[in-house]
Structures are given as C-alpha cells and as structure tokens.
Amino acid sequence: MVKTLMIKTKSNRIGEQVLLAAGELSQACQALDFSGCAAWVYNPLQYAWQAHQQYILKYARRSCQVVFLGMNPGPWGMAQTGVPFGEVAAVTHWLKIDAPISAPDSQHPKRPVLGLKCPRSEVSGKRFWGLFSQRFDCADEFFQQHFVANYCPLAFMEQSARNLTPDKLPATSQVALQAVCDRHLARLLDVLQPQWLIGVGAWAESCGRRVIAEYGLSKIQVGRILHPSPASPLSSRDWPGTATKQLQALGVWS
C-alpha cells in the first residue's frame, strides 16, 4: 500500500515548508531512545538549529532538479556545523553560513562541538563541496537546481567515540529511526519535487528507493554516486572525477 502525506503549513514558501519538516524531524528523533545501542547521540538540528535554518532558507528552492542524499552527520562535518557534509571551510567560505552554534547538553570529551571554529576538516565534506565549488561559480548557482540533505539527522558514537553509522544500529532501533526519517524524506521530496534523487553511497540510495516506492513518488528517478569517504580507496584516487562521470552517465549532468 502506498503511503500518503498530509503537509500542513501556513506558508507557501518552499524554504519555510522544508524548515517546518526539518523541525518536526528533529522533534521526532529526540523522542527516540538509543540508550541501549549508542553511548552518545548528537542532534545538530537542536544545538545547531540556527545554522541549519539559515542553510535551508538560503538554498531550498522550487527550481531544484537534483537532491543529493547523504547518510547522517559526520563528527567533524554536520555534527559541527548543522549543514549536510558540513566541512567548516566550505560552510563558512562557500555556503556563507555564519549563524551561531551552541553545543549538545552532553558531549564526548573526544568529540567536542566547536561549531564554525572547529579546527578539524571533514574529508568527505571537503571533497563533496569541493567538486561543486569547482564546477559552479558560486553556491547560489549550484542551488538553482540542486539541494543537499541527510537521510538521518543524528550522529551516533560508541563509548570510545568511534562513529556508529545508522545501518549498524540494532534492528529494532533501525526500524524506529527509519519510520521517522522515511516520512521526512518523502515530505522533502514532495515539497521540492526534483527530477532526481542521488544517493551519496549505496545505503542512502537504498533509503531513497524505498521511500519513493512506499510513498508513490515514482516520477523521481534514483541514482547513486560514490561516497567521498577517505575509508574508500576509490574515493581517495579521484573522487571528483569519478562522481562527475557517474552523474554524466546517469544523464544528471551534461
């Protein structure tokens, strides 16, 4: 059975509709209990809300044709900045995000949130936004037809501070999280109405395909690009070149 959406908003502005959905996603995720499987859980849609809000209101547009979908925040990316693949230099210099960022109520001492002052660079985010900054003259030009989102807004860590990705959570926790994140993704796609959803990595692609099938969004085509993670030998060779060729092969880019 195809699921349906009931979107209620007092505004017709695309950015405000996307923002409303993000706020509800954040609240729904806060209500979930991960105490039995993750020692630490960061929700940047809470403590970095102003930066995320600025990102959405600046760049979510009706003209969007392609949505890139990541997995979840990295410890030195969105967990710091509130922006998907949010490598600090890219967020401040290219995306021009300057909103204040606070910190989680409880932080792992090895993973402090320093916001836009974080000295660490997230390699995935640097590669990801670096490709677009090379291809497009400015962020505004990129976002005329593109948008970037994460499937899950939460960052999970083990007691050691090791990153724990959503696909490694116990099955019961994954089911609860999936219900919340699937609904949000469906709502985002319904508002933006892109031609393409591009998963950044296989897991994000699989989430996109499931949501599009379950919510009857069959007009949206689905593809995938290689994840820019430094853990991947292929990504470390020439990620920008590989991702560009993949998007051209799909027909997303000329």
Side-chain angles (χ1 to χ4, degrees), residues 213-232:
E214 291 186 356
Y215 283 86
L217 301 169
S218 57
K219 291 183 180 180
I220 301 174
Q221 301 179 75
V222 184
R224 182 209 311 176
I225 59 173
L226 181 68
H227 196 286
S229 170
S232 167

Side-chain angles (χ1 to χ4, degrees), residues 44-212:
L45 297 193
Q46 293 277 318
Y47 60 83
W49 175 249
Q50 290 185 68
H52 192 72
Q53 178 183 48
Q54 190 178 61
Y55 168 72
I56 287 175
L57 293 181
K58 285 184 73 169
Y59 296 126
R61 302 171 184 179
R62 172 62 76 189
S63 58
C64 176
Q65 298 296 308
V66 183
V67 172
F68 288 98
L69 185 69
M71 177 183 280
N72 75 311
W76 311 114
M78 186 175 176
Q80 298 291 331
T81 66
V83 176
F85 292 94
E87 196 260 345
V88 173
V91 168
T92 56
H93 298 149
W94 202 63
L95 298 177
K96 308 295 184 185
I97 301 297
D98 57 7
I101 295 170
S102 56
D105 293 335
S106 179
Q107 301 184 76
H108 194 293
K110 293 183 179 179
R111 295 291 184 269
V113 172
L114 303 176
L116 301 180
K117 295 182 179 179
C118 178
R120 292 280 300 263
S121 174
E122 184 184 67
V123 175
S124 294
K126 186 174 184 178
R127 290 173 178 171
F128 185 79
W129 291 112
L131 167 60
F132 305 137
S133 67
Q134 292 170 11
R135 186 176 178 89
F136 298 90
D137 290 338
C138 61
D140 191 66
E141 182 184 347
F142 169 75
F143 283 101
Q144 286 296 331
Q145 293 192 316
H146 305 80
F147 190 68
V148 181
N150 270 333
Y151 172 76
C152 171
L154 304 178
F156 304 96
M157 283 168 280
E158 298 175 352
Q159 189 62 51
S160 64
R162 181 182 177 184
N163 189 45
L164 182 66
T165 54
D167 58 319
K168 299 298 190 295
L169 295 172
T172 53
S173 296
Q174 284 195 49
V175 169
L177 181 64
Q178 178 181 308
V180 169
C181 295
D182 277 11
R183 180 170 177 79
H184 172 261
L185 178 57
R187 187 169 176 181
L188 176 69
L189 296 175
D190 189 63
V191 170
L192 293 178
Q193 298 183 15
Q195 292 183 1
W196 282 94
L197 177 66
I198 302 298
V200 185
W203 191 80
E205 178 197 17
S206 68
C207 291
R209 289 190 182 279
R210 179 181 63 247
V211 168
I212 284 172

